[in-house]
Amino acid sequence: MPLHRGSAHDGEPAAEERRRALNPFFGEADPVAGMEWAPPRHRMPDGPLPPSTAYGLVHDELMLDGNSRLNLATFVTTWMEPQAGVLMAECRDKNMIDKDEYPRTAELERRCVSMLADLWHAPDPSAAVGCSTTGSSEACMLAAMALKRRWALKNADRYPASAKPNLVMGVNVQVCWDKFCTFWEVEPRLVPMEGDRFHLDPQAAADLCDENTIGVVGVLGSTFDGSYEPVAELCAALDALQERTGLDIPVHVDGASGAMVAPFLDEDLVWDFRLPRVSSINTSGHKYGLVYPGVGWALWRSPAELPDELVFRVNYLGGDMPTFALNFSRPGAQVVAQYYTFLRLGREGYRAVQQAARDVATGLAAKIEELGDFRLLTRGDQLPVFALTTGPEVTAYDVFDVSRRLRERGWLVPAYTFPADREDLAVLRIVCRNGFSSDLAELFLEDLRFLLPELRAQPHPLPRDPNAATSFHH
């Protein structure tokens, strides 16, 4: 089934109906003429429209989208300073790949890589290698490709004729890891959830490893509940495995969100390049990196972790350019915005912003718990994210009813079931980002309090399509 239909579900509206779809004032000096300009929706118009008319049509339709600031499902940044927006507008026409034509944009990218390498305690930040990407999904793909290629080089006598590579990770990983395994023909070995453990267990992960394991993924901030996976304990379990068997299994840290939170708020937590087994790390600049989408970052401990054959040197647009990203042409605006944010905030500024988000998350979680209807699974004290479910005594409604009713008030709060072995557990997840202030949190709480009497008065939870529940893996 195609992702996007090429035509309307129920045919093109009648011409007269399309005429009424356009505000006569869009005709500027001649309102009647404006009504003649209404274009078809599902085929390209025969002729052009005035820019104000085209803008008005698109602008009005987009008003039906949700308010991104009230979207408590997404991890993606929904607010930046006006100055950042100006810089992005100034750079949106610059093609990042053309480093010869835009050398200063390329230099800002290099500086961001160096800053992240220093932040994540690379042994020699000047020697660490990395690049910007369109987001963490691409960054994860690059890191996993490097793991697979290093494994293949190490096992050249067996691969690909008889050996099938595998990748070990928790069942809670973001969907991009499933995509990698499918696209690059790698067997995913998933550590299941069990009881109140909602992410990877270090020893269980080590037990799944063998001579065909290309690496183990540790997630610093699970999208399911906001919890950190125990990366140091994972590395210790793999150290013990190497002592017993000789297997040397590298670790990649998917720090999509946590890699831009833990360095500022959890400085004593050891999860990064301080652990010799961590070979690569990714993060989303457009999540808790505080930049509009889409930008991500992939970094390797040293050039030895990134096989040279994955780096392409392209003679393009007047210069010889090394590239190892999956995408080629893309705008430089997000990279420039990332450098602006690093420069604007510094470590203390990031610490203040992330602490404010965590304070809002923990405060809101505690107040929701006080309502008595809900049980917290996490409290927002790692990622500024928490998950909750209804208490065992609540039988009149479920989390899907809560999500549905909150949407009526403008709030987007995902309700979803956990994966295999905990599919019995349905939760709500609340993501507290920069811009979701304590005032907004109080308004959210007021709306939730307002809805509870009606929910409690229901005879039973409303019926729903079990296939409609989503995990909001973003």
Side-chain angles (χ1 to χ4, degrees):
M1 183 177 187
L3 293 177
H4 303 284
R5 293 181 180 273
S7 60
H9 292 254
D10 52 358
E12 188 69 40
E16 185 60 30
E17 184 178 343
R18 290 298 298 133
R19 278 169 49 87
R20 292 194 297 272
L22 200 146
N23 188 331
F25 279 94
F26 288 170
E28 298 179 350
D30 184 358
V32 176
M35 297 180 70
E36 301 295 329
W37 289 334
R41 285 201 187 105
H42 300 288
R43 65 176 180 83
M44 191 175 291
D46 295 329
L49 293 173
S52 59
T53 304
Y55 170 82
L57 284 168
V58 177
H59 172 81
D60 284 0
E61 186 159 352
L62 291 176
M63 289 172 63
L64 298 176
D65 274 347
N67 183 335
S68 64
R69 293 285 297 280
L70 302 183
N71 184 357
L72 304 185
T74 184
F75 287 78
V76 172
T77 296
T78 56
W79 182 89
M80 290 188 77
E81 293 175 307
Q83 293 87 343
V86 171
L87 273 175
M88 293 182 77
E90 292 171 352
C91 298
R92 61 191 172 198
D93 60 340
K94 295 183 179 181
N95 185 0
M96 267 295 302
I97 196 62
D98 191 356
K99 293 176 169 48
D100 187 66
E101 186 68 24
Y102 306 116
R104 301 323 300 168
T105 302
E107 169 62 14
L108 298 190
E109 179 188 31
R110 189 194 66 79
R111 291 180 193 174
C112 287
V113 168
S114 182
M115 289 178 179
L116 289 170
D118 179 63
L119 186 69
W120 297 337
H121 300 95
D124 181 1
S126 64
V129 292
C131 66
S132 65
T133 62
T134 54
S136 263
S137 293
E138 182 187 357
C140 291
M141 298 277 181
L142 293 175
M145 286 166 55
L147 290 175
K148 183 180 179 184
R149 184 56 59 95
R150 286 169 57 198
W151 173 85
L153 292 172
K154 194 177 188 180
N155 296 274
D157 58 328
R158 299 187 301 118
Y159 179 81
S162 60
K164 173 85 182 269
N166 64 75
L167 181 66
V168 175
M169 49 197 168
V171 71
N172 57 298
V173 291
Q174 209 262 4
V175 70
C176 69
W177 291 104
D178 299 308
K179 287 184 177 181
F180 167 78
C181 290
T182 299
F183 296 164
W184 275 272
E185 298 182 331
V186 172
E187 175 196 352
R189 293 189 175 177
L190 303 178
V191 178
M193 292 182 177
E194 183 178 346
D196 290 332
R197 176 180 56 76
F198 305 125
H199 55 223
L200 174 145
D201 174 74
Q203 188 55 54
D207 292 342
L208 289 175
C209 294
D210 59 24
E211 67 274 9
N212 295 324
T213 301
I214 65 175
V216 180
V217 178
V219 179
L220 199 71
S222 172
T223 58
F224 277 92
D225 63 357
S227 62
Y228 294 158
E229 290 192 333
V231 179
E233 289 86 342
L234 171 63
C235 290
L238 294 174
D239 289 344
L241 177 69
Q242 184 174 8
E243 290 178 10
R244 294 194 312 271
T245 66
L247 294 175
D248 185 9
I249 309 295
V251 168
H252 171 77
V253 178
D254 182 353
S257 294
M260 293 306 297
V261 173
F264 307 110
L265 302 187
D266 308 295
E267 295 180 79
D268 295 333
L269 180 67
V270 179
W271 62 273
D272 53 16
F273 290 127
R274 286 171 287 184
L275 298 166
R277 198 167 289 279
V278 173
S279 65
S280 51
I281 302 172
N282 70 274
T283 195
S284 289
H286 62 228
K287 292 180 180 173
Y288 288 94
L290 307 179
V291 174
Y292 286 139
V295 61
W297 300 92
L299 269 71
W300 289 264
R301 171 185 293 276
S302 71
E305 278 74 31
L306 180 64
D308 190 62
E309 56 264 43
L310 293 181
V311 181
F312 292 84
R313 287 167 176 82
V314 184
N315 182 8
Y316 179 64
L317 297 178
D320 181 62
M321 296 166 293
T323 174
F324 46 98
L326 292 178
N327 290 299
F328 205 64
S329 296
R330 56 190 175 87
Q334 287 81 1
V335 168
V336 170
Q338 184 74 85
Y339 182 72
Y340 164 85
T341 308
F342 285 169
L343 191 68
R344 166 77 173 89
L345 292 178
R347 292 195 180 213
E348 288 305 314
Y350 263 95
R351 184 171 292 111
V353 170
Q354 311 300 36
Q355 186 64 60
R358 180 178 282 180
D359 289 345
V360 169
T362 55
L364 180 58
K367 290 179 180 178
I368 290 176
E369 186 177 38
E370 290 172 0
L371 296 175
D373 288 45
F374 301 100
R375 178 173 68 89
L376 295 178
L377 305 183
T378 48
R379 296 178 174 273
D381 54 353
Q382 293 184 340
L383 286 189
V385 175
F386 60 96
L388 61 147
T389 188
T390 50
E393 70 285 353
V394 174
T395 59
Y397 65 92
D398 58 20
V399 294
F400 300 97
D401 292 332
V402 178
S403 177
R404 186 183 304 113
R405 294 302 306 276
L406 284 170
R407 184 179 287 266
E408 295 172 4
R409 312 287 293 185
W411 301 102
L412 303 180
V413 180
Y416 53 92
T417 55
F418 272 20
D421 294 337
R422 285 312 318 263
E423 291 172 316
D424 59 303
L425 182 59
V427 305
L428 296 163
R429 189 196 66 205
I430 295 176
V431 179
C432 299
R433 304 176 309 279
N434 179 45
F436 182 63
S437 64
S438 58
D439 285 347
L440 282 174
E442 189 59 40
L443 291 173
F444 172 81
L445 193 64
E446 286 181 12
D447 283 340
L448 181 58
R449 288 194 186 108
F450 176 81
L451 296 172
L452 281 179
E454 294 181 19
L455 290 169
R456 291 165 179 160
Q458 291 182 177
H460 51 73
L462 297 180
R464 64 178 181 87
D465 179 1
N467 298 317
T470 63
S471 298
F472 284 83
H473 280 286
H474 56 276

